[in-house]
Amino acid sequence: AGTYQLREVGPLSGYGALSGHITFTVSSTGNVSLTGNIPAEATLSQEVQEDGSLLYTLGVVNSRLVKVSVWKTDAGYNPLTGAEFSLYKAGDYDDAAGSPNNGATAILTGAVGNNGILSLGTLISGEYRLVETKAPTGYTAIDSAVKITVRNGKVTAFQGTAPSVVSTKTNENASHLVSGQDDGTWQIRVWNSTGYELPSTGGPGTNFIFLL
């Protein structure tokens, strides 16, 4: 009986470390329970043995790290520069309001390079929101966050309701993968449409109309 804490002191190569320590308590009657701030990667199950005793199993799930980048283009797959982005965990972003939650901090902020690429680094399994904070000159900023999902070592993404083109060296979109990136990178295409300048109220055109 007592309270114990399980700590991961060295994550597996290519996998992310636990988000916190796992604390569990064994009662005087032999019952086991998780206590304190329970990391999302921890699970506790029990199984009745043939002799009537209980076997408790503490599961620890490590998430594979995946290299992800953003490729900024126009509608014709031509790379664009000048775009800036912020990346959030999905739980830190309000999809309905179209903005981060109060006090939320971006995982990463940055601008695309001359090849239109911004590296998001290595991400663990989960859902993310990519927000365009600055559009390329002459283009309209995307009106909603790009939804990114990392699961089972693979990456999918949606820009609005349309699936984004995700390229790796080994999938059907490999021809779109920009050279010079680390091996195993999952590249997400994010595109902008051309912006149009609207006439201003009270401009010369309205004066002419009033005269007529």
Side-chain angles (χ1 to χ4, degrees):
T3 298
Y4 303 85
Q5 190 173 80
L6 183 67
R7 302 187 177 194
E8 185 173 42
V9 295
L12 297 169
S13 177
Y15 289 79
L18 296 182
S19 58
H21 305 317
I22 303 172
T23 303
F24 62 96
T25 298
V26 181
S27 72
S28 58
T29 57
N31 293 319
V32 180
S33 60
L34 297 177
T35 58
N37 295 322
I38 303 171
E41 305 93 340
T43 60
L44 182 66
S45 60
Q46 65 180 33
E47 180 182 352
V48 180
Q49 304 297 288
E50 290 183 358
D51 61 0
S53 63
L54 289 177
L55 170 65
Y56 288 89
T57 302
L58 179 61
V60 180
V61 179
N62 282 101
S63 299
R64 183 182 293 276
L65 294 172
V66 178
K67 295 178 181 179
V68 183
S69 68
V70 174
W71 183 38
K72 189 63 171 179
T73 77
D74 61 12
Y77 282 76
N78 300 301
L80 298 175
T81 60
E84 298 179 4
F85 292 94
S86 292
L87 181 69
Y88 296 88
K89 292 181 179 179
D92 292 333
Y93 193 83
D94 188 335
D95 290 325
S99 61
N101 295 328
N102 290 333
T105 302
I107 301 172
L108 174 144
T109 59
V112 300
N114 292 333
N115 57 357
I117 292 292
L118 169 63
S119 174
L120 302 182
T122 53
L123 303 179
I124 63 172
S125 294
E127 292 191 11
Y128 302 85
R129 297 294 183 265
L130 181 69
V131 181
E132 185 176 49
T133 56
K134 180 182 177 182
T137 302
Y139 289 82
T140 304
I142 55 178
D143 57 4
S144 61
V146 178
K147 298 179 180 180
I148 300 173
T149 301
V150 179
R151 183 174 290 116
N152 299 326
K154 297 182 179 181
V155 177
T156 56
F158 278 82
Q159 183 172 333
T161 58
S164 300
V165 174
V166 180
S167 307
T168 68
K169 282 187 175 180
T170 57
N171 71 8
E172 67 276 10
N173 298 313
S175 60
H176 294 302
L177 186 65
V178 177
S179 61
Q181 302 185 77
D182 292 339
D183 289 343
T185 297
W186 291 74
Q187 174 190 288
I188 302 170
R189 179 196 177 221
V190 178
W191 64 277
N192 289 86
S193 58
T194 306
Y196 298 94
E197 184 177 355
L198 297 176
S200 59
T201 302
T206 53
N207 290 334
F208 181 66
I209 293 170
F210 290 151
L211 272 175
L212 289 179

